[in-house]
């Protein structure tokens, strides 16, 4: 009931307010980076071996991108 009257919420920039499932919204490869498929394939190959929590969403996004689906789907 008390929150019904709240008109403004302020959050810090630490990223702690999340759904707990990081996602990649877009992938941008610089034009002078080389062949897009090669760059993304190399990225996915490196990230597949990583235990970092952000590696899985990166790999999923690259796999979707290479399959022709938008990164955020």
């Amino acid at each position: 009931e008390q929150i019904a009257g709240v008109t403004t919420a302020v959050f810090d920039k630490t990223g702690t307010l999340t759904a707990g499932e990081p996602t990649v919204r877009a992938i941008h490869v610089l034009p002078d980076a080389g062949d897009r498929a090669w760059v993304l394939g190399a990225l996915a190959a490196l990230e597949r071996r990583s235990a970092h929590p952000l590696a899985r969403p990166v790999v999923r996004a690259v796999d979707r991108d290479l399959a022709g689906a938008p990164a955020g789907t």
Side-chain angles (χ1 to χ4, degrees):
E1 291 176 17
Q2 290 178 340
I3 201 165
V6 173
T7 59
T8 304
V10 178
F11 302 98
D12 69 9
K13 63 182 174 115
T14 62
T16 56
L17 182 68
T18 66
E21 176 115 8
T23 60
V24 174
R25 296 185 61 169
I27 297 174
H28 301 280
V29 177
L30 297 176
D32 60 348
D35 178 69
R36 180 182 179 81
W38 185 90
V39 170
L40 294 181
L43 171 62
L46 293 169
E47 293 294 343
R48 281 186 212 286
R49 297 180 177 267
S50 175
H52 193 281
L54 297 179
R56 275 186 308 214
V58 168
V59 170
R60 282 194 302 264
V62 168
D63 287 347
R64 282 191 297 266
D65 185 276
L66 293 175
T73 60

